[in-house]
Amino acid sequence: MAKNEFLNAQWKNLVMLNYEVDAAILKPYTPAGTLLDLWEGKALVSMVGFMFLDTRVLGIKWPWHVNFEEVNLRFYVRYFNGTEWNRGAVFISEIVPKSMIALIANNLYKEHYRALPMRSSITATTDNHTQFLYEWKLNGTWNKLGATASYTLVDIKPGSPEEFILEHYWGYNGLSEIKTMEYQVEHISWQTGLVRDYVFDADVAALYGDAFKPFLEKEPVSAFYALGSDIVVRMGEKIVVGK
């Protein structure tokens, strides 16, 4: 394991549904020192489902915690480090099937994980497409997020909506009114497949609060599928605003 690496894994088969929201509802979640990163003047959040595969924490594969699903709700910020702008993601909620993962991430990175029963499926169609489905059980009901995407993969184009959503290589979490956790995420630029149709059926209010209900229960502004790749998450560092 190289120096400063906290987590190594593969993030594969990412389904991302992107919604425009009122920027005001993101203000309580925006870490100190960061600014909302807008797409054509719009504040976006993404519902993301994907597979964590071949997971190693501090170089160790922990039994029964190597391959698992994750579903998260995230939005986008930027931070000026004194010389350049870093573009990053902030996670409002992250769902995984293992309580130990939630415990470690919440304590070390101040993430917002919760453990729920989860399952996933991949179904090939007869017309050069694949259906990816992620499900999680909340209050006795299976919620779902999924998409049907083309087998044909293409590179992300500079300046495209896909680049804005997918090309974030930093994570930020608020620690206090003046402190923020910053960590770097490394991976190659992902290839994407055109999404033909999608599904998001969930109890939004119970998961994320009433403020998100009007926005996540309408049609998304875009839907993306990304193949994914190997990733590295570096050890986090604290930013003190005004220091």
Side-chain angles (χ1 to χ4, degrees):
M1 184 184 70
K3 184 179 179 181
N4 202 32
E5 291 183 2
F6 171 71
L7 182 143
N8 302 79
Q10 296 178 33
W11 290 349
K12 301 290 285 188
N13 296 327
L14 293 93
V15 171
M16 310 185 76
L17 304 187
N18 311 301
Y19 297 83
E20 183 180 355
V21 301
D22 184 341
I25 72 170
L26 301 178
K27 186 175 181 179
Y29 302 95
T30 303
T34 68
L35 300 174
L36 283 181
D37 197 6
L38 305 178
W39 169 252
E40 297 183 340
K42 301 173 182 177
L44 301 180
V45 300
S46 299
M47 285 296 315
V48 185
F50 66 102
M51 291 300 302
F52 250 106
L53 301 175
D54 195 28
T55 304
R56 288 156 286 157
V57 178
L58 299 175
I60 301 172
K61 289 187 178 182
W62 298 93
W64 306 290
H65 293 76
V66 176
N67 302 318
F68 53 90
E69 301 88 352
E70 177 175 319
V71 169
N72 64 58
L73 175 63
R74 73 182 199 176
F75 68 99
Y76 306 100
V77 299
R78 52 196 175 97
Y79 169 72
F80 189 67
N81 65 10
T83 57
E84 62 183 356
W85 287 96
N86 292 336
R87 299 181 62 239
V90 178
F91 295 93
I92 296 169
S93 169
E94 295 153 286
I95 301 169
V96 289
K98 305 290 186 179
S99 58
M100 185 58 68
I101 298 165
L103 179 65
I104 292 173
N106 291 345
N107 279 282
L108 291 183
Y109 281 81
K110 303 303 178 184
E111 294 281 8
H112 303 92
Y113 275 92
R114 66 190 298 185
L116 294 172
M118 299 186 75
R119 63 191 183 190
S120 60
S121 63
I122 300 175
T123 306
T125 70
T126 57
D127 58 351
N128 202 38
H129 284 73
T130 304
Q131 182 185 73
F132 302 92
L133 185 63
Y134 299 96
E135 298 180 275
W136 61 101
K137 196 172 189 179
L138 178 67
N139 298 328
T141 300
W142 284 101
N143 295 231
K144 61 183 66 176
L145 170 69
T148 302
S150 171
Y151 283 158
T152 304
L153 300 176
V154 298
D155 294 336
I156 293 174
K157 295 180 180 180
S160 66
E162 288 87 348
E163 182 187 51
F164 175 81
I165 293 294
L166 293 166
E167 302 278 295
H168 287 81
Y169 295 100
W170 298 86
Y172 294 94
N173 292 315
L175 302 178
S176 71
E177 292 184 356
I178 62 170
K179 293 182 181 180
T180 292
M181 173 73 76
E182 177 189 59
Y183 57 93
Q184 189 172 12
V185 181
E186 298 177 4
H187 61 77
I188 63 171
S189 182
W190 291 329
Q191 290 189 306
T192 63
L194 186 64
V195 170
R196 182 175 66 187
D197 54 53
Y198 53 82
V199 60
F200 177 49
D201 183 6
D203 188 341
V204 172
L207 286 164
Y208 310 119
D210 289 333
F212 287 92
K213 189 175 171 67
F215 304 103
L216 295 183
E217 291 186 349
K218 63 182 180 181
E219 293 296 309
V221 297
S222 59
F224 301 143
Y225 164 78
L227 176 63
S229 68
D230 292 342
I231 64 95
V232 175
V233 177
R234 299 284 177 184
M235 294 288 188
E237 297 184 0
K238 292 181 181 179
I239 297 168
V240 180
V241 177
K243 184 176 179 180

